[in-house]
Amino acid sequence: MVDDVVRTLGFLCMGSRFRRIGERLQADTQQIIEEYGIVIQAAQYPFLAALDRAGALTIGELAQAVGITQPGATRTVSQLLELGLVDMQAAPDDQRRRLISLSRKGQELVDYSKQSVWPRISAAVADLCGDLNGPILAQLAAIEDGLAEAALARRAAKEETT
Amino acid sequence: MVDDVVRTLGFLCMGSRFRRIGERLQADTQQIIEEYGIVIQAAQYPFLAALDRAGALTIGELAQAVGITQPGATRTVSQLLELGLVDMQAAPDDQRRRLISLSRKGQELVDYSKQSVWPRISAAVADLCGDLNGPILAQLAAIEDGLAEAALARRAAKEETT
DNA sequence: AGCAGTTATATAACTTGTTATGTAATTTTC
DNA sequence: GAAAATTACATAACAAGTTATATAACTGCT
């Protein structure tokens, strides 16, 4: 039996490792969503949640809220538009900005999800991550903050080469 | 300032969150690799490490070793073939199996990497993840084991519906 | 020996993120 | 007030994973 190199190499392959964990979690989350007969992708939910929480947001604000880049947000928003879950209109004071808001259908989906799918997903994931050995959410937050500090790895590199 | 919905929603968006952390780590890792003038992708390194560690492996064994699916392994191997870093030949006893091994050039790259890039990457990532608050590697291993148990989320679902 | 089933790899299409770059609207500067 | 710079979004091309399916080689049964 070949052992798991990524795991054995420890810190060397953390990128791949985080990524593949994320992909599997998303796939499992998708399973749960589909059991409820809901027709959206797992990755689209954070957008709806952000709009529900904050009201209308621009593309840029949405990207920031869900933590991805602007082109990614543009694409997901256009999918949600096609699904009729959000509305888009240019901001009155600045024609460049597009204000995205939950449509009636989108709001209904969010309201339904809040009391059905979301608790189920949270429970399943918490069962997987949280019950094990502690405050993984805090650890992830710390890692994200570290990454946000303008790429720690890159900084370390500059120190060395300059 | 819009807050980070993914983070605020806690366990609900763990998939996206792991994934985006992984992608950023990989991007940073790539930066380090390029500083050394090495022309491979961060995601290809685990394959070379696996071959260095275990000798010749088939496509299927490689997929298992680096923890991805077989089509993903097939693609990465074909990239490494084009780069001249590995050799491929059919297994003598079973023409279906393709034995992949490090080429001379590949072995040289691994030997060089072992003493230059890999320690640098490990150090940078450990600095980011390990120094903070403990044994994150153990936690990830536990999560991966949980996921491997045939999709925990899905099992939970079946309990409920049957 | 031949046929059925299984296994190993290849290929195609998709997902969800990325970077790089283009375009239109606004703001700044002279 | 017009030119230059900036900002917000859109578009294109790529990366690295996925699932689904096809093909070729092997194994087992009668």
Side-chain angles (χ1 to χ4, degrees):
Chain A
M1 173 69 155
V2 181
D3 67 1
D4 185 326
V5 176
V6 174
R7 195 180 291 195
T8 310
L9 291 180
F11 289 118
L12 186 54
C13 310
M14 286 291 269
S16 283
R17 197 166 175 192
F18 267 96
R19 191 172 178 158
R20 87 189 200 200
I21 290 176
E23 270 153 7
R24 285 177 194 172
L25 275 174
Q26 269 187 334
D28 281 10
T29 302
Q30 191 66 41
Q31 286 274 339
I32 298 179
I33 292 172
E34 279 164 14
E35 280 166 30
Y36 282 83
I38 297 172
V39 296
I40 75 171
Q41 302 289 106
Q44 296 168 346
Y45 254 140
F47 287 78
L48 300 180
L51 293 172
D52 177 55
R53 178 176 300 245
L57 293 173
T58 66
I59 297 274
E61 288 166 338
L62 264 174
Q64 199 179 336
V66 306
I68 64 171
T69 55
Q70 169 262 309
T74 296
R75 179 169 48 193
T76 299
V77 164
S78 72
Q79 292 166 348
L80 293 172
L81 273 169
E82 281 204 12
L83 291 169
L85 296 172
V86 301
D87 296 322
M88 178 162 85
Q89 64 184 119
D93 54 320
D94 184 342
Q95 297 291 106
R96 292 171 305 176
R97 297 183 146 175
R98 302 302 156 89
L99 281 172
I100 315 298
S101 52
L102 286 174
S103 69
R104 181 163 176 172
K105 186 177 165 193
Q107 187 66 58
E108 281 169 6
L109 176 58
V110 168
D111 291 341
Y112 172 63
S113 300
K114 267 187 191 169
Q115 63 177 49
S116 61
V117 203
W118 292 358
R120 264 288 304 290
I121 295 170
S122 287
V125 176
D127 188 42
L128 184 64
C129 303
D131 292 5
L132 292 169
N133 30 6
I136 193 160
L137 288 174
Q139 278 186 301
L140 293 184
I143 291 173
E144 284 164 343
D145 289 341
L147 283 171
E149 272 178 38
L152 198 146
R154 208 172 316 165
R155 273 192 323 176
K158 277 178 191 157
E159 273 173 42
E160 197 172 283
T161 53
T162 52
Chain B
M1 173 71 153
V2 180
D3 66 1
D4 185 326
V5 175
V6 173
R7 195 181 291 195
T8 310
L9 291 178
F11 289 118
L12 186 54
C13 310
M14 286 291 268
S16 284
R17 196 166 175 192
F18 268 97
R19 190 172 179 159
R20 88 188 199 201
I21 290 176
E23 270 153 7
R24 284 177 194 173
L25 275 174
Q26 269 187 335
D28 282 9
T29 301
Q30 191 66 42
Q31 285 273 341
I32 299 181
I33 292 171
E34 281 165 11
E35 280 166 31
Y36 282 83
I38 295 171
V39 295
I40 76 172
Q41 301 291 104
Q44 296 168 346
Y45 253 141
F47 287 77
L48 300 180
L51 294 172
D52 177 55
R53 179 175 300 244
L57 293 173
T58 67
I59 297 275
E61 288 166 337
L62 264 174
Q64 201 180 334
V66 307
I68 64 171
T69 55
Q70 169 263 310
T74 295
R75 179 171 46 192
T76 299
V77 164
S78 71
Q79 292 166 347
L80 293 173
L81 273 170
E82 282 204 13
L83 291 170
L85 296 172
V86 302
D87 296 321
M88 178 162 85
Q89 65 183 119
D93 55 319
D94 185 342
Q95 296 292 106
R96 291 171 307 177
R97 295 183 147 175
R98 302 302 156 89
L99 282 172
I100 315 299
S101 52
L102 286 176
S103 69
R104 181 162 174 174
K105 186 176 164 191
Q107 188 65 59
E108 280 169 7
L109 176 58
V110 167
D111 291 340
Y112 172 61
S113 301
K114 268 186 189 170
Q115 62 177 49
S116 60
V117 202
W118 291 358
R120 264 288 303 289
I121 296 171
S122 288
V125 176
D127 187 42
L128 185 65
C129 304
D131 292 6
L132 293 168
N133 32 6
I136 193 161
L137 288 174
Q139 277 186 302
L140 292 184
I143 292 174
E144 284 163 345
D145 289 341
L147 282 171
E149 273 177 38
L152 199 145
R154 208 172 316 165
R155 274 192 324 176
K158 276 180 190 155
E159 272 173 43
E160 197 170 282
T161 52
T162 51

